[in-house]
Amino acid sequence: MSVRSKPSREGEAPAEPERDGSELPEGWTSTTIAAVIDDCQPGFASGDKNVEDGVSHLRMNNIGLIGELILDLVRTVPVKLAKPQHKLQSGDVLVCTTNSAKLVGKCAIFDLQGRYAFSNHLTRLRPNREVVDSSYLRWCLWSLWKAGAFDDKCKHWVNQSTIPKDALLDADIPLPPLAEQRRIVGKLELLLGKVSSSQQRLSRVPGLLKRFRQSVLAAACSGKLTADWREERSIIEDDTCPSIDPGEMEPPPFDVPSDWRWSSLDAICSKITDGEHLTPPRVDSGVPILSAKDVRDSDVYFSEAKFVTADIAEKSRQRCNPDRGDILVVSRGATVGRTCRVKTDTVFCLMGSVLLFKPRSQIILPEIIEYCFKTPTGLAALIARSGATAQQAIYIRDMRTFPVPLPPLSEQQEIVRRVEKLFAFADQIEARLRQAQAHIDRLTQSLLAKAFRGELVPTEHALATAEGRDYESASELLQRIKAAPPNSENHSPNDVAERANREREFP
């Protein structure tokens, strides 16, 4: 039976029923995912990958965070492993049902041509097209995932979580009439396309800021950053470079201003050493002993630090005593070459995976060495010293002859002032970027919330009221489909036979 809507008065907007925030719009109903799909099928695992003439096998990494399919790396698996029920059809919805806890529930709609199957970390939902629009179901699932609706329904293991099939299918979704679903999807995808474009533009900003900082450091170490400063100042005695023997030094990598000079690290540092080569006994609390993982670009971090006793720390610090202003460089591992300047007065020790440089303060400011190591040229030189083998390592002997540009002390101070000012500007942009990204994320959720409250497009009830026509509510639609016999016009014997023939083999 259809619902007859009361016509609105001439010239008035279509009337919407009054409701509170939890009430569904007129003509909608609340149902489960199980009620709107024809099939639910888990995928399969495959040991053989990238086989010739195989079936494309989508995995959890092929589903992006905004409901898109990512096809940068699609593996192929033997055809014999793919059963007919694993064949994907356009309009199927893929849900990640096994993953890290925060990613269980992410989903995407399949809309590709060709032979595709899916892994056992995914579950395929095949929507009943007479009840639910595939894209509408996808956005319902995506909204449930972002709202954390599956969090307390998952079973958890050490590194993975899984949502049981029954819990997935029992999830509630709001269901409008089918025509309204399609209008909602059209409006959503139009607006979310604009949101996605904004996200893509924002995603380019971190790379631009990184290149900006690298350019600032390169200009600082080559003299270009303070070229105008030198022109405006008259050369006085205090502006001359410190008089030191540069010692044994490698050839300088580029030219510097005439009143600068090049020097070796050995000449401008009072100590070049590294931390403990043998792991000392650990204790639950005491003096922190840091390794490569604790050296970050901005400073050292103590959140994951191990500890040694005060006696061991005292002995360790007799040879390697990091203090405020010292320069640390990771000498081993995946982050070899990472550099930071110590900005804490906390007493700590170092493991052998970190090199220590103590600048001679009367000759060079520690920031100048830090900038030199962090320029693209300097970082490349550090990595080059680590070798090309699997066990990369920078040794103390290889760093003593490392060339460092040495400006006059007064210009060093001006360099530091300008770099800090420009970096502070970049930090402000990053802060605004984080705010913009958070706003974009909230906007997506807000659009979905409006969509599922019936506020994004005119409801079918409102349109029918304005046009003086009948419409079929979502609950009536579900009842009609449920009551239809298998050999009804919706599922004729010919359709059933054709579907069976299609799925007998994986083409």
Side-chain angles (χ1 to χ4, degrees):
M1 186 177 83
S2 299
V3 174
R4 180 73 177 180
S5 298
K6 296 180 181 179
S8 59
R9 295 179 181 176
E10 186 176 355
E12 290 183 350
E16 289 283 2
E18 294 183 2
R19 61 182 185 273
D20 59 29
S22 62
E23 186 179 345
L24 291 172
E26 184 75 20
W28 291 39
T29 191
S30 179
T31 188
T32 63
I33 292 174
V36 300
I37 64 171
D38 284 336
D39 184 46
C40 174
Q41 176 64 47
F44 64 95
S46 175
D48 297 327
K49 298 178 176 65
N50 295 327
V51 300
E52 190 173 352
D53 296 325
V55 175
S56 298
H57 195 235
L58 298 180
R59 300 169 296 140
M60 56 186 179
N61 292 336
N62 295 120
I63 297 183
L65 296 179
I66 55 174
E68 79 280 23
L69 284 175
I70 300 173
L71 304 177
D72 296 342
L73 179 60
V74 177
R75 294 174 176 172
T76 55
V77 299
V79 177
K80 63 182 180 181
L81 297 178
K83 306 302 180 185
Q85 62 267 30
H86 296 132
K87 178 185 176 183
L88 286 169
Q89 298 178 7
S90 180
D92 287 346
V93 177
L94 289 171
V95 185
C96 190
T97 45
T98 299
N99 207 324
S100 60
K102 67 179 181 179
L103 296 179
V104 169
K106 69 174 181 171
C107 56
I109 189 169
F110 179 80
D111 56 359
L112 305 174
Q113 300 296 322
R115 300 191 304 177
Y116 283 88
F118 52 103
S119 81
N120 57 323
H121 290 91
L122 304 178
T123 295
R124 184 209 64 202
L125 302 179
R126 182 156 291 163
N128 182 332
R129 304 292 184 84
E130 296 185 67
V131 177
V132 68
D133 181 89
S134 295
S135 292
Y136 180 85
L137 178 60
R138 183 268 299 265
W139 286 119
C140 282
L141 285 161
W142 193 91
S143 185
L144 287 171
W145 167 54
K146 294 299 287 185
F150 302 126
D151 292 352
D152 60 351
K153 297 178 176 62
C154 289
K155 295 181 179 180
H156 303 283
W157 286 268
V158 176
N159 295 319
Q160 286 190 331
S161 299
T162 295
I163 182 170
K165 175 181 176 180
D166 290 344
L168 174 64
L169 297 183
D170 286 344
D172 291 324
I173 61 170
L175 190 70
L178 189 57
E180 188 175 341
Q181 294 176 38
R182 291 168 180 157
R183 290 198 301 273
I184 288 172
V185 168
K187 186 70 171 182
L188 258 182
E189 293 186 348
L190 175 65
L191 295 175
L192 292 178
K194 296 179 180 179
V195 171
S196 178
S197 297
S198 298
Q199 288 174 324
Q200 291 175 8
R201 288 194 293 270
L202 291 176
S203 69
R204 294 194 289 267
V205 176
L208 294 173
L209 288 175
K210 180 180 180 180
R211 290 194 292 273
F212 170 75
R213 289 189 174 98
Q214 289 175 339
S215 298
V216 169
L217 293 178
C221 293
S222 65
K224 295 178 180 178
L225 186 63
T226 45
D228 62 324
W229 182 87
R230 287 193 303 275
E231 290 179 1
E232 293 173 1
R233 288 177 59 89
S234 58
I235 301 300
I236 58 175
E237 181 129 357
D238 290 341
D239 285 331
T240 59
C241 280
S243 178
I244 60 168
D245 180 0
E248 184 181 351
M249 183 181 65
E250 298 173 20
F254 50 82
D255 294 330
V256 294
S258 58
D259 52 339
W260 291 27
R261 67 177 61 183
W262 284 93
S263 183
S264 66
L265 275 174
D266 205 26
I268 60 176
C269 291
S270 61
K271 179 182 287 188
I272 301 177
T273 187
D274 58 5
E276 295 298 311
H277 293 187
L278 299 176
T279 303
R282 307 290 174 77
V283 292
D284 292 336
S285 62
V287 179
I289 183 165
L290 307 184
S291 61
K293 67 178 175 57
D294 305 308
V295 175
R296 312 293 175 86
D297 289 322
S298 56
D299 200 353
V300 292
Y301 280 62
F302 296 96
S303 57
E304 300 179 11
K306 308 299 182 182
F307 298 93
V308 295
T309 64
D311 290 343
I312 291 177
E314 182 180 2
K315 182 178 178 181
S316 174
R317 286 179 59 83
Q318 288 177 3
R319 187 178 70 86
C320 180
N321 56 324
D323 297 307
R324 179 184 286 273
D326 290 348
I327 305 300
L328 306 182
V329 175
V330 174
S331 60
R332 292 178 178 83
T335 59
V336 65
R338 177 182 286 173
T339 299
C340 83
R341 173 168 44 90
V342 179
K343 301 173 186 176
T344 179
D345 293 316
T346 301
V347 175
F348 65 95
C349 304
L350 289 174
M351 287 298 298
S353 57
V354 182
L355 296 176
L356 167 71
F357 301 87
K358 280 190 174 295
R360 298 180 186 271
S361 57
Q362 71 276 21
I363 297 174
I364 191 167
L365 299 179
E367 289 89 346
I368 302 300
I369 299 178
E370 179 189 16
Y371 300 162
C372 179
F373 286 167
K374 286 185 174 180
T375 62
T377 301
L379 178 59
L382 289 174
I383 294 175
R385 281 166 169 74
S386 68
T389 62
Q391 184 60 39
Q392 292 181 308
I394 304 175
Y395 295 101
I396 297 172
R397 66 174 181 271
D398 298 325
M399 292 302 298
R400 295 190 182 281
T401 58
F402 193 101
V404 177
L406 187 62
L409 276 171
S410 57
E411 189 167 355
Q412 292 181 38
Q413 294 166 355
E414 181 63 15
I415 289 172
V416 170
R417 187 190 70 81
R418 293 191 177 196
V419 170
E420 289 182 346
K421 181 179 179 180
L422 290 169
F423 275 26
F425 173 70
D427 291 342
Q428 291 174 2
I429 295 177
E430 276 185 334
R432 296 182 66 179
L433 171 64
R434 288 191 293 270
Q435 292 174 353
Q437 289 172 327
H439 175 72
I440 291 291
D441 291 342
R442 290 193 299 269
L443 181 58
T444 300
Q445 290 293 86
S446 175
L447 288 172
L448 288 169
K450 288 175 70 68
F452 299 136
R453 290 197 304 265
E455 299 173 359
L456 199 60
V457 298
T459 65
E460 189 68 11
H461 169 77
L463 291 178
T465 299
E467 297 166 6
R469 61 174 171 83
D470 296 340
Y471 79 98
E472 186 179 42
S473 70
S475 60
E476 289 174 327
L477 173 62
L478 286 173
Q479 291 170 6
R480 177 172 62 80
I481 297 298
K482 183 177 180 181
N487 61 346
S488 70
E489 60 180 5
N490 297 326
H491 300 284
S492 68
N494 290 336
D495 291 339
V496 173
E498 184 181 350
R499 178 176 175 181
N501 289 331
R502 284 200 312 267
E503 296 190 348
R504 188 169 291 119
E505 295 181 0
F506 200 103

